[in-house]
DNA sequence: GAGCATACCTACTCGTGCGTAGGGTTACGC
DNA sequence: GCGTAACCCTACGCACGAGTAGGTATGCTC
C-alpha cells in the first residue's frame, strides 16, 4: 500500500529546525502562553508528539528558540565589531550589525525578546544576554575615556551603558513595527543619539557614517 | 447568630481599590497568565465572584490596573512639567517626576509595564501611552530647535524621541531592580545621557540639576 | 530479507483555572 | 418591622491545552 507516502520522512536535524522556525513564528504571533503546541506542530507540518520527542516541553522549546535567536544575534554583532578599532567605529559597526539582524529576523527578534521580558522563567535568560551587551558597551565607553585620560565611577558607566542599550532596543522595536523602515538608516539615527547626544544634535552637529 | 461579623462589609469604591491593589501586586509577581483570579481575590481579602461582579473578567481587570497606574504616572509627570519653562528645565522636571513615580510604585510600574508589552491584547493600550510620551518629548525637542532657528525632519525627531523614551524606560527597569538606588540620582544620570549625550560626557562636561 | 532503530501518527488523560449559579446576610429607607 | 438593594459566600461546570500511551510504517545494516 501507500505507494506515495503522503509526505517525506526527514532526518532529525532538519525537522528540528522546521519546528524551531514554526515555534518562533507562533510564539511571536500569539505570545508564549497563548501559543499552543498543537498550532506549532501543525505549522511545522508535523504532529505534536514529535515536537515533544525532539525539543521537549513547551518551556524547553521556548528556551531553545531563545537560544537559537540569541546566538544568531550575538554572532552577527561580534563578527562586526573588531576589538582593535576606535570606539566610535566599533559602536557604529555593532549598531549596524544589530539593526541589520533585527531587520532580517523581525519576527524572531522582536517577539522573542518582547516575550521573554515578561515571563518569569525566561527573564533571567534574557537578562544574561542583555548584561553581556551592557558590559560590552560599558567597556567601550571606559576604553574611550581612558584614552582621553579621564575616568568616571564604574556605576555611572554601567548606567549610561544601560541607557544606551535600552535606547537601542527601543529603536529595534520601532524598526520591527515599521516594515518599510531601513535598518541602516535606523542605525545611523541611533548613532547620532548615542554618540553625539541630543544637545549636539540640537546645535546642528551631525555624525555621518564613514563612506567605505 | 454571628454576633461578630467575621469581617466588615465595605462600600464598593473601597473594595474596588483593594482589589486593584491586590491585582497589581499579584500580576506583577506572577505575570498576567500565571496570576490566578483566586489568588487575587484571596489577597484582596474577598471571594472571587466579588471580583467578577465589580471589575469583570481577568482581562478587564488587567486593563483596569493598567489604566489606574498609567493615569497616576501621567499625572505625576504632567503636574511637574509646566509648559512655559525652557526645554531643558521641562525635561529635567519630567524625568525627576517619572523616576520618582517608578521609585514609589516599583511593583505597580515595572511589572505592569513589562507585562503589558508582551501580551497581545494589551500591547495596544500600552503603545498609546508610550506614544503620548514620545509626542511630548518630540514636541519639546522641536520647540527647542525652533528657538535656535533650526529644523529637522519630523520623522527624525520622532525617532530621537523614541530612543530617549526607550532609554528612560530601560533605566526605570534598572531602578525597579535596584531597590537601594536613588530615583533622583537616576534621573540626573538620564538627564546627562539625554541632554548632553555620550560624547559630551566623554569630554567631561556634566549637566547638574539646578539647586532650588 | 530479518532485525532494528528511527521517523511518525491517532487518540486519549487529566490538571488547572476562568467564569457562574444560586443562595445567604446585613444595612437602610419608610 | 418589612421590603429591597447592596454586599458577600460556597460551591460547581466546563473548556482548553499540556503531555502521553501505544502502535504503524520506512529505511538501513549485515
Amino acid at each position: 500500500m501507500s505507494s506515495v507516502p503522503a509526505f517525506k520522512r526527514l532526518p532529525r536535524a532538519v525537522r528540528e529546525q522546521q519546528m524551531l522556525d514554526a515555534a518562533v513564528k507562533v510564539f511571536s504571533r500569539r505570545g508564549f502562553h497563548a501559543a499552543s503546541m498543537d498550532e506549532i506542530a501543525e505549522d511545522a507540518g508535523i504532529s505534536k508528539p514529535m515536537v515533544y520527542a525532539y525539543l521537549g516541553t513547551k518551556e524547553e522549546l521556548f528556551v531553545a528558540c531563545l537560544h537559537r535567536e540569541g546566538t544568531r544575534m550575538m554572532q552577527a554583532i561580534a563578527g562586526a565589531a573588531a576589538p582593535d578599532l576606535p570606539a566610535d567605529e566599533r559602536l557604529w559597526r555593532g549598531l549596524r550589525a544589530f539593526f541589520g539582524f533585527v531587520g532580517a529576523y523581525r519576527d524572531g527578534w522582536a517577539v522573542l525578546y518582547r516575550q521573554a521580558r515578561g515571563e518569569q522563567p525566561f527573564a533571567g535568560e534574557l537578562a544574561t544576554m542583555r548584561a553581556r551587551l551592557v558590559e560590552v558597551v560599558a567597556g567601550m565607553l571606559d576604553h574611550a575615556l581612558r584614552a582621553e585620560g579621564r575616568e568616571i565611577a564604574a556605576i555611572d558607566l554601567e548606567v549610561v551603558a544601560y541607557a544606551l542599550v535600552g535606547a537601542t532596543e527601543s529603536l529595534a522595536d520601532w524598526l520591527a513595527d515599521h516594515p518599510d523602515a531601513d535598518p541602516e538608516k535606523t542605525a545611523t539615527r541611533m548613532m547620532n543619539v548615542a554618540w553625539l547626544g541630543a544637545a549636539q544634535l540640537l546645535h546642528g552637529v551631525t555624525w555621518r557614517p564613514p563612506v567605505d
Side-chain angles (χ1 to χ4, degrees), chain A residues 51-126:
Chain A
V51 182
Y52 281 89
Y54 285 175
L55 278 326
T57 43
K58 193 180 181 184
E59 289 205 355
E60 287 166 344
L61 174 60
F62 190 82
V63 169
C65 291
L66 261 188
H67 252 92
R68 196 184 67 169
E69 303 297 316
T71 309
R72 277 183 183 168
M73 186 184 96
M74 284 304 195
Q75 279 177 347
I77 296 177
D84 55 343
L85 291 169
D88 59 341
E89 187 75 16
R90 276 175 72 199
L91 185 57
W92 164 242
R93 296 198 181 196
L95 282 175
R96 203 168 49 169
F98 174 75
F99 284 107
F101 173 85
V102 174
Y105 296 86
R106 282 187 163 89
D107 260 34
W109 185 79
V111 197
L112 281 182
Y113 217 69
R114 280 201 268 237
Q115 289 308 324
R117 293 187 68 118
E119 315 289 339
Q120 248 72 359
F122 317 116
E125 199 84 12
L126 223 272

Side-chain angles (χ1 to χ4, degrees), chain A residues 106 174-183 185-186:
Chain A
R106 282 187 163 89
W174 182 87
L175 180 62
D177 290 338
H178 292 74
D180 299 332
D182 176 28
K185 210 164 181 184
T186 309

